[in-house]
Amino acid sequence: MTETEGMNAKQKLAYYTNKFYADAMAAHDKGELVCWSGSVTPPEFLVAAGIHIVYPENHAAAVGAKHGAIEILELAERKGYTMDNCSYSRINLAYMDLLVEEKKTGVTPEALKKLDELSIPRIPLPDIIILCNNICEVLLKWYENIAVSLNVPCIIIDVPFIHHMPIPQRSVDYVVAQFKRAIEQIEDLTGKPFDYDNLIKVQEQTQRSIAAWDKAMGMASVVPSPLSGFDMFNFMALIVCARSHFAAEDTFNTLAEELQAKADAGIDAFKGGERTRIAWEGIAVWPYLSHTYKALKALGMNMVGSTYPSAWSTHYEVGNLEEMAKGYMKCIYNNGIEERANIIATIMENTNCNGILYHNNRSCKNMDCMTVEVQELVKERTKTPYAMFDGDQTDPRNFSEAQYDTRVEALSEIMEQMKAEKEQA
Ligand code: SF4
């Protein structure tokens, strides 16, 4: 009998998410190593070495979703981090300062107390940090600042940007060398030889978790869909934070079973109200998750495709570091315009989307800098309309409900018109 026997997928999500943060705090209190990690950074080496990982991006998203961002963002701005910096980094760097202040003075700063009152889980200060720049270069400077401020070691897995497929062998070799260097750094930190047998087990677990995630997300291709993409956003916490653990596999298999049962019974996410299907490109607007969802639902627009959750579907052959290197380099955000458009269009085709909504995210320059070119390529291939709205994943000051509503209404009108024309033809 497992600890989650009898729980449904949502209960498992809540249980494992809380446990994940509580375990990291407990590990820190016991003097065990805790690492802060970039979200699409390989966790396999650290997990194999028994190092606990927490994810500042996921934590910052929780701060945003629970409406605790403004005050902490202002703290970061007073330190000189402007609104043009990624809001995940601003939240994390300000949060780090609050933890340091609490540690030094023994008194919990007011801003930290407010986050505690919002039930935002605590993360401990790290003993080590790790990042992989397969999602952006911001992480490099952000984590460098953490390493300097806290005087902790920083593992960097530097991956070359992939301008065109296929991935050149020299890039694969370069990333494998980064992996080997990371393993050496972990050996230095733990004072123990690296356990390669355990790495195989962790890789196997990671691939099982990803297979379960793919299966659950794949249910969005059913028409009408039993899954709303906004549920995908919620469940993402575990693919980000626990993909190398059984927790992710357990939860996503349960979710896939529940969705299959719904599909078999003819129950869809909108209870018969799905009129059109869209893809969402970009990160969710965490402080406005409810508004962004409800505005689409009111128009019968079900969001069923997104490249964001699939960024964690990193497939590779277990035991093969070259394949693992390729898997992490294939992350959509590490790819040039053509491959990015190809990934988006393929997701739209697989999930029968009739349109796409782009989040023009002020925080995330990597996603924004390619938006217009990618939009046109996707439109050319899928022959579907698109709209774009301005927003930010965790800074609520950069999002306007009215603008969002206007854009999705316009997209809905075009999609409805195209649907009507198709039905008449
Ligand atoms: S939101 Fe964008 S800029 Fe910020 S960490 Fe993620 S990928 Fe990098």
Side-chain angles (χ1 to χ4, degrees), residues 39 57 86-89 135-139 142 283 333 361 363-367 393:
S39 62
E57 290 153 78
C86 163
S87 53
Y88 282 166
S89 70
I135 53 171
C136 68
E137 300 300 326
V138 170
L139 275 173
W142 167 8
I283 308 178
Y333 308 116
N361 185 341
S363 264
C364 192
K365 307 299 177 281
N366 186 15
M367 294 187 196
Q393 79 262 11

